[in-house]
Amino acid sequence: MHITFICSASLPSLPGQPGQPETTASVAGDTLTVDGVDYDLSAVPEGGFAEPSGDHPFVGRIRRSGGVLSLSLRWRYDVATAEAHQASVAPVLSVTAGAVPDPIIRKPARPEA
């Protein structure tokens, strides 16, 4: 699966209200799981595309070429753990199976005292 990430900072927590969680995703065959919701993309035909409708994390068309699904995915991240300056070009990763790597440039971990 060829994934282009459309990254945006998640809304911060407010007193008495949780913020938006960071996005997590994984790939298993033609199924992309985003934030615990499975999206079965097996119906996207070879050489064709699908236009998602309803509530979903996709941006634009999903296409299949040479057996590979290509899509753009909304990806929320926490500004508290991310570097202030992120890539100016949308990150792109290919994932065949398993967890989708975090495309965000993170702040270095602080040593524990």
Side-chain angles (χ1 to χ4, degrees):
M1 200 170 291
H2 188 80
I3 303 171
T4 301
F5 295 89
I6 309 303
C7 302
S8 65
S10 60
L11 296 175
S13 299
L14 298 173
Q17 297 178 352
Q20 290 178 314
E22 292 191 308
T23 301
T24 59
S26 63
V27 173
D30 284 348
T31 299
L32 176 63
T33 302
V34 181
D35 297 333
V37 178
D38 292 339
Y39 297 93
D40 180 0
L41 306 176
S42 61
V44 179
E46 177 60 38
F49 63 90
E51 301 239 14
S53 61
D55 188 24
H56 58 79
F58 305 106
V59 177
R61 291 179 168 180
I62 299 169
R63 63 184 166 93
R64 185 188 305 266
S65 178
V68 177
L69 289 161
S70 296
L71 55 92
S72 293
L73 181 66
R74 288 186 193 93
W75 192 269
R76 289 183 317 273
Y77 65 92
D78 185 349
V79 295
T81 61
E83 286 287 351
H85 298 288
Q86 296 294 317
S88 59
V89 175
V92 179
L93 295 173
S94 290
V95 181
T96 55
V100 173
D102 184 2
I104 302 304
I105 302 167
R106 298 292 176 170
K107 293 177 183 174
R110 292 184 184 167
E112 292 188 28

